[in-house]
């Protein structure tokens, strides 16, 4: 016997039907909250990025000259724009989350969700999901875009900085020099000789290197054992010519090879006794270093111009050499943990909407969010300077603002439970 449709309507829904209906409603609410949060964060990030680009353009107008034209300024701003985008992504996520949830709160939609049994933690989870898009975007920019764009921007800046500005970029090192005890010929770092004696030090500077092994300008000053300048060498560039085995029985693998570069367009200045000097030009000379071209490339790059993987390789190389670069370690942890900054600020944004500011206007929430975002950025810069000045762990100093903002946001949200 067929059942009447009216009989079906009169039946109460089963528990399975009720559970399915609630799950479907939660999915609809989740998509709605995620869409609002995503659109608001995109608008906030793009707005802050556009303002920074505009301010940078106005700042570059004061630097225009015969050598630094408007086209150079526009190129510089274009190459720096990915850095501006990545820099304001955490603050934009904070501001966007406040605006997105604030609009829902002004329409009492959050109150309806809470009355329907949706927990605050579930709503916060919905807002964090679109923030993950910007987490992935920040990692992609740091890994694939910033190393190239920052390098191109620095090249434009260096070309138009003027000759009176001293440059400290590139790679500087001091190499001990030896010579055979029974010969007057100098040998650089030849530890495999049976009898050698110290012959002062070489101060070496390389301003540029690429991954193919080519190097740019090279300067080398040779000081004797008393610290007196003996020779000064300048070369316009060099090309990698290969490696040779120095000491196969060396305990350290890094000491087994010497890597050679053939220098070109070299000029040598010799300081004779009585402070007389003679200058000569040579077609080429050889530069010997204890590490491979890939390592030279890492050493001649500034920390901001390296990707995450390159910063990690630089860190591993410095460990092998028994040295440490706090600047590169700080840049590595800042880039690696920048996604956590975005998530922690989104949690703070949720606390502004559900916390003590829930009864205030959206405009006040936006102002407080901007102030907190600026404060968070300044604290990040401050702890970075403290780490460089004191040698304290860069990892811990980068984590402190992130942990602090997460605890603050979680505490303000928990008070409303």
């Amino acid at each position: 016997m067929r059942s009447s449709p009216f009989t079906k309507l009169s039946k109460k829904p089963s528990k399975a039907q009720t559970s399915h209906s609630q799950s479907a409603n939660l999915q609809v609410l989740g998509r709605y909250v995620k869409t609002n949060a995503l659109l608001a964060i995109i608008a906030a990030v793009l707005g802050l990025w556009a303002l920074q680009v505009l301010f940078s353009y106005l700042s570059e107008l004061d630097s225009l000259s015969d050598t630094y034209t408007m086209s150079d300024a526009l190129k510089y701003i274009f190459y720096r724009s990915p850095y501006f985008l990545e820099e304001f992504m955490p603050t934009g996520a904070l501001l966007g989350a406040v605006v997105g949830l604030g609009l829902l709160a002004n329409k009492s939609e959050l109150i309806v969700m809470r009355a329907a049994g949706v927990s605050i933690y579930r709503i916060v989870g919905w807002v964090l999901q679109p923030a993950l898009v910007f987490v992935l975007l920040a990692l992609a920019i740091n890994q694939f875009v910033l190393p190239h764009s920052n390098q191109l921007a620095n090249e434009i800046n260096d070309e138009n900085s003027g000759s009176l500005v001293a440059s400290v970029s590139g790679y500087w090192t001091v190499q001990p020099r030896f010579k055979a005890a029974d010969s007057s010929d100098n040998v650089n770092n030849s530890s495999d000789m049976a009898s050698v004696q110290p012959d002062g030090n070489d101060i070496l500077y390389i301003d540029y290197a690429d991954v193919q092994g080519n190097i740019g300008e090279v300067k080398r000053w040779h000081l004797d054992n008393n610290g007196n300048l003996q020779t000064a060498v300048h070369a316009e560039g060099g090309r990698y010519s290969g490696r040779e085995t120095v000491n196969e029985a060396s305990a350290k693998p890094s000491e087994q090879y010497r890597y050679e570069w053939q220098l070109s367009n070299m000029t040598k200045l010799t300081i004779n006794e009585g402070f007389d000097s003679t200058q000569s030009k040579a077609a080429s000379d050889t530069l010997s270093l204890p590490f491979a071209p890939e390592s030279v490339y890492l050493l001649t790059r500034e920390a901001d111009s390296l990707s995450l993987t390159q910063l990690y390789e630089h860190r591993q190389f410095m460990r092998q050499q028994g040295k440490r670069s706090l600047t590169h370690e700080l840049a590595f942890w800042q880039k690696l943990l920048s996604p956590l900054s975005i998530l922690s600020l989104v949690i703070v944004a949720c606390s502004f909407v559900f916390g003590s500011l829930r009864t205030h206007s959206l405009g006040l929430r936006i102002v407080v969010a901007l102030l907190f975002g600026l404060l968070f950025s300044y604290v990040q810069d401050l702890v970075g300077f403290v780490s460089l000045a004191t040698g304290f762990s860069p990892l811990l100093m980068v984590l402190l603002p992130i942990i602090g903002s997460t605890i603050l946001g979680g505490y303000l949200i928990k008070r409303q439970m």
Side-chain angles (χ1 to χ4, degrees):
M1 181 176 180
R2 296 177 60 185
S3 60
S4 171
F6 299 98
T7 304
K8 293 182 179 180
L9 291 174
S10 63
K11 291 181 179 180
K12 293 182 178 180
S14 63
K15 291 183 178 180
Q17 291 175 334
T18 303
S19 176
H20 178 73
S21 177
Q22 291 177 349
S23 176
N25 292 335
L26 286 176
Q27 290 180 0
V28 173
L29 288 176
R31 286 196 297 268
Y32 180 67
V33 173
K34 294 173 192 176
T35 302
N36 279 272
L38 179 62
L39 294 178
I41 293 175
I42 291 176
V45 171
L46 292 181
L48 293 175
W49 172 76
L51 284 176
Q52 180 61 34
V53 170
L54 177 61
F55 291 151
S56 299
Y57 169 75
L58 296 177
S59 176
E60 292 299 317
L61 291 179
D62 295 334
S63 304
L64 296 180
S65 62
D66 295 337
T67 58
Y68 188 61
T69 62
M70 178 62 71
S71 61
D72 294 329
L74 292 177
K75 288 181 181 178
Y76 175 78
I77 295 172
F78 175 75
Y79 292 140
R80 290 289 288 174
S81 58
Y83 172 77
F84 299 148
L85 180 62
E86 192 272 338
E87 182 182 22
F88 284 98
M89 205 170 290
T91 305
L94 168 66
L95 181 60
V98 169
V99 172
L101 287 178
L103 293 175
L104 297 179
N106 287 347
K107 299 176 183 178
S108 301
E109 292 174 324
L110 291 181
I111 297 177
V112 174
M113 294 180 193
R114 297 284 290 121
V118 181
S119 66
I120 292 179
Y121 291 131
R122 185 183 291 274
I123 298 175
V124 173
W126 287 339
V127 179
L128 287 175
Q129 291 181 32
L132 292 176
V133 176
F134 293 89
V135 167
L136 298 177
L137 180 60
L139 288 175
I141 291 176
N142 280 321
Q143 176 65 27
F144 302 107
V145 180
L146 288 186
H148 305 288
S149 62
N150 283 348
Q151 179 62 29
L152 293 173
N154 290 335
E155 290 177 359
I156 295 177
N157 196 21
D158 292 341
E159 290 176 358
N160 301 279
S161 59
S163 59
L164 298 179
V165 180
S167 174
V168 294
S169 60
Y171 173 64
W172 293 83
T173 186
V174 177
Q175 294 180 309
R177 190 164 179 173
F178 302 92
K179 68 178 181 179
D182 56 350
S183 174
S184 60
D185 295 333
N186 291 331
V187 181
N188 289 330
N189 294 334
S190 297
S191 57
D192 58 339
M193 294 185 62
S195 178
V196 295
Q197 63 182 16
D199 188 31
N201 297 292
D202 281 347
I203 301 176
L204 178 66
Y205 166 73
I206 303 174
D207 76 328
Y208 170 81
D210 58 24
V211 292
Q212 286 78 26
N214 301 317
I215 57 177
E217 183 182 18
V218 177
K219 298 178 181 179
R220 182 168 57 189
W221 298 267
H222 173 57
L223 308 178
D224 61 15
N225 295 323
N226 297 323
N228 299 318
L229 179 63
Q230 298 296 309
T231 60
V233 175
H234 175 269
E236 295 183 1
R239 183 176 297 274
Y240 178 64
S241 57
R243 68 180 186 181
E244 61 179 9
T245 303
V246 174
N247 186 8
E248 297 182 354
S250 175
K252 296 181 180 180
S254 59
E255 297 177 354
Q256 295 181 2
Y257 302 102
R258 299 291 299 179
Y259 299 87
E260 306 288 340
W261 279 262
Q262 198 71 23
L263 302 181
S264 59
N265 298 328
M266 190 191 74
T267 302
K268 183 176 181 179
L269 178 65
T270 303
I271 308 297
N272 302 317
E273 294 184 3
F275 298 100
D276 295 331
S277 62
T278 58
Q279 182 174 344
S280 61
K281 289 190 176 182
S284 63
D285 191 13
T286 301
L287 172 66
S288 179
L289 294 176
F291 33 80
E294 296 81 6
S295 300
V296 180
Y297 171 79
L298 297 177
L299 292 172
T300 56
R301 285 290 179 270
E302 295 182 359
D304 292 339
S305 299
L306 295 177
S307 65
L308 274 171
T309 54
Q310 290 172 339
L311 285 171
Y312 178 77
E313 293 172 359
H314 183 279
R315 187 163 173 258
Q316 295 300 108
F317 172 77
M318 296 300 289
R319 282 186 175 183
Q320 294 176 0
Q321 300 295 319
K323 300 179 181 180
R324 189 181 183 188
S325 175
L326 285 175
T327 303
H328 289 78
E329 287 187 25
L330 180 64
F332 172 76
W333 291 117
Q334 285 177 339
K335 291 185 177 184
L336 182 63
L337 299 178
S338 60
L340 297 182
S341 303
I342 298 175
L343 297 180
S344 67
L345 290 181
V346 171
I347 295 176
V348 173
C350 296
S351 71
F352 288 164
V353 177
F354 294 110
S356 58
L357 294 177
R358 68 187 186 280
T359 58
H360 294 79
S361 64
L362 179 60
L364 179 61
R365 294 172 187 166
I366 293 176
V367 172
V368 174
L370 284 174
L371 292 177
F372 187 86
L374 291 175
L375 177 63
F376 182 84
S377 177
Y378 293 151
V379 171
Q380 278 190 317
D381 294 339
L382 176 62
V383 296
F385 292 140
V386 171
S387 176
L388 294 177
T390 62
F392 201 69
S393 172
L395 171 60
L396 182 58
M397 298 303 290
V398 172
L399 279 175
L400 281 179
I402 299 174
I403 295 175
S405 62
T406 304
I407 293 176
L408 175 63
Y411 171 74
L412 294 178
I413 292 176
K414 189 175 182 180
R415 288 184 58 184
Q416 307 306 315
M417 297 299 294

